[in-house]
Amino acid sequence: MRRSLLFLLLLAGCAPQATQRPVTAFLSGPVSFYPDQTGLQWTYEPQGALPDAPPYTLTVEGPGVVHGVPVILFRFTGRGQDRIYYRAIGPQGVQLLGFDERITESKVRFNPPLLEYPPPQDLTVGAQWGGTSELTSVIELPDHTYTTDHQELHYTYTVVSQSAVEVPAGRFEAYHIHLTLTSQGQTLEYVIWFVPHVGEVRTEGGLLLVQRNFR
């Protein structure tokens, strides 16, 4: 059975679990333009979530290697989700090589990697980037066999503006970025708010930043 693009790429969704809001110690030291230091953590919730609602967390777990390429591991957890993202971050910007679904034991890879963010000097109002990538998903079936699916993914990021935004974590001057994904005749559109040296204060899945463990 072919998984839909919507299932593979949306970040929010599953039923809440009985988890507590994490308590994070603040980290010291400089944070890069695209934050990737080991131990950094962001806490997110959907807009309008109740104060005691289980949160989502994104944590930088540290360096790793995927297909011989050095990457940074980001772990996204909460509300029944547990996902590891593999990103290469450097002068070329932020490239997403893929992610693993730890609960379903499925894997998604992008060839070539998706360019999520351009070089820092190129992140300006009016900037646009994107391309085409082959999305390969490897899914474990109930009988412990595997099925592989290939989809051609077209994507475009556009920085439409920069202005102040208000989220539970505070007020930020953010880049407003529109993302369009197209595959198999299906098109999805997202809005992201990104703040240099802070990260995404609104994710493509519509999650808002509640707190972070760095300044």
Side-chain angles (χ1 to χ4, degrees):
M1 178 180 297
R2 296 169 70 87
R3 272 187 172 179
S4 70
L5 177 65
L6 182 66
F7 182 87
L8 288 170
L9 296 177
L10 281 177
L11 299 184
C14 297
Q17 294 182 331
T19 57
Q20 296 181 341
R21 187 181 302 279
V23 177
T24 56
F26 276 89
L27 302 182
S28 59
V31 175
S32 55
F33 188 91
Y34 297 123
D36 64 353
Q37 285 76 16
T38 300
L40 296 184
Q41 188 175 87
W42 300 259
T43 301
Y44 293 97
E45 286 184 349
Q47 185 173 0
L50 297 175
D52 59 349
Y56 296 93
T57 60
L58 180 66
T59 305
V60 182
E61 297 221 318
V65 177
V66 173
H67 302 309
V69 178
V71 295
I72 304 295
L73 278 59
F74 290 74
R75 186 177 182 183
F76 179 81
T77 60
R79 302 196 183 198
Q81 299 195 46
D82 191 349
R83 186 179 298 120
I84 298 290
Y85 290 95
Y86 302 102
R87 292 183 167 100
I89 303 177
Q92 79 286 350
V94 180
Q95 296 179 325
L96 177 64
L97 282 73
F99 58 87
D100 292 351
E101 297 278 0
R102 301 185 66 177
I103 294 176
T104 61
E105 297 186 7
S106 58
K107 304 177 186 297
V108 173
R109 297 292 181 267
F110 300 103
N111 183 29
L114 266 63
L115 181 62
E116 293 185 298
Y117 288 97
Q121 67 273 14
D122 294 338
L123 186 66
T124 59
V125 175
Q128 187 174 89
W129 64 95
T132 300
S133 181
E134 182 182 53
L135 182 157
T136 300
S137 58
V138 180
I139 306 163
E140 183 177 10
L141 301 176
D143 61 358
H144 301 294
T145 60
Y146 291 85
T147 179
T148 301
D149 187 21
H150 300 278
Q151 302 177 33
E152 189 175 72
L153 175 67
H154 305 274
Y155 68 100
T156 302
Y157 289 85
T158 304
V159 183
V160 296
S161 63
Q162 183 182 21
S163 64
V165 296
E166 193 85 33
V167 298
R171 185 177 176 86
F172 299 91
E173 190 72 15
Y175 288 102
H176 298 236
I177 302 171
H178 285 186
L179 167 61
T180 301
L181 302 173
T182 302
S183 181
Q184 298 179 325
Q186 182 182 20
T187 297
L188 301 175
E189 295 185 355
Y190 304 93
V191 175
I192 303 166
W193 297 340
F194 176 80
V195 180
H197 306 287
V198 174
E200 292 178 355
V201 299
R202 185 188 192 277
T203 73
E204 65 187 62
L207 303 179
L208 303 181
L209 183 66
V210 175
Q211 65 179 18
R212 54 190 165 121
N213 68 344
F214 61 95
R215 295 297 187 191

